[in-house]
Amino acid sequence: MKIAQAGFITCFLICGWVDNAWAGSERFELKEPIAIKKNNQIGSLPFLAHSYGALFDVLINSKGPTKYWKSIFALKKVQDSGDPYGQDTPQVFLNNDGKGFYICSSRNGAGGCYTDPIDRDIGKWYHVEISQTLKSWPLGNQFEFEVKIDNQSVFTVNNTKAEQFSNVAVLAGNRWWEPMDGLIKNIVIGTYN
């Protein structure tokens, strides 16, 4: 039998997914399916904090090899301060080989991307979750960036330069890339400041 030892807690913080929604101070939701289109701003957030989560379902109507990626979803800084860090916060594409997803985000002081190696099916809904959470607080800025597809963790990396971004647009198809032929629904974005 273990005996409790005397001690104290200096700070106790709980944040994370609650019933498939981010428990935090800012939130965006759009449930109905919408077509992915170029420069399709569907909402905004006043900020995207160090800890955030974005989840959605995406349906691929058609695909094929192409020279460029096809845009699906993006959170983007609205006002360009001249600093490119935060422009990919994150972005999701159909990969240019026409197969899996290509997911980019600002992390560790630069942009970084994950290439999904799985050939995704046309006509099937895929559930995508992208999160950045505090991993070992209060021991320092140990934020973990993670991508899940259909509830399976497919990519995880520490982000040693997590930052907060102000005035963030929510896009179902970004401004610069051609959109993927498909639909997106059940979008939930939450951020905790």
Side-chain angles (χ1 to χ4, degrees), residues 108-160:
N108 299 318
C113 298
Y114 162 75
T115 303
D116 173 26
I118 297 173
D119 191 0
R120 301 294 174 175
D121 295 330
I122 293 172
K124 179 184 175 200
W125 285 100
Y126 291 96
H127 182 71
V128 177
E129 291 183 36
I130 302 165
S131 64
Q132 181 168 278
T133 55
L134 196 55
K135 185 177 176 185
S136 59
W137 190 85
L139 301 176
N141 289 335
Q142 296 295 318
F143 288 88
E144 183 176 83
F145 177 82
E146 182 177 24
V147 175
K148 291 181 179 180
I149 300 174
D150 287 340
N151 300 312
Q152 297 292 317
S153 182
V154 295
F155 180 74
T156 303
V157 66
N158 284 341
N159 183 357
T160 59

Side-chain angles (χ1 to χ4, degrees), residues 3-34:
I3 299 174
Q5 298 197 9
F8 60 92
I9 297 173
T10 57
C11 183
F12 187 68
L13 173 69
I14 299 173
C15 64
W17 294 104
V18 178
D19 296 326
N20 282 337
W22 190 257
S25 57
E26 289 297 329
R27 183 178 165 124
F28 171 84
E29 279 190 67
L30 182 64
K31 295 293 183 183
E32 64 270 6
I34 58 169

Side-chain angles (χ1 to χ4, degrees), residues 44-66:
S44 64
L45 292 165
F47 65 88
L48 189 69
H50 301 83
S51 291
Y52 68 87
L55 61 87
F56 56 87
D57 298 323
V58 61
L59 175 79
I60 303 168
N61 284 332
S62 67
K63 61 181 185 173
T66 178

Side-chain angles (χ1 to χ4, degrees), residues 48 52 73-77 83-93 102-107 110-113 130 132 145 159 165 168 174 176-177:
L48 189 69
Y52 68 87
F73 173 83
L75 298 179
K76 304 289 278 179
K77 291 191 304 188
D83 180 4
Y85 196 64
Q87 291 300 318
D88 304 333
T89 321
Q91 290 193 81
V92 179
F93 302 90
Y102 187 67
I103 300 171
C104 300
S105 185
S106 295
R107 56 182 196 271
C113 298
I130 302 165
Q132 181 168 278
F145 177 82
N159 183 357
F165 304 107
V168 176
N174 79 18
W176 300 278
W177 300 91

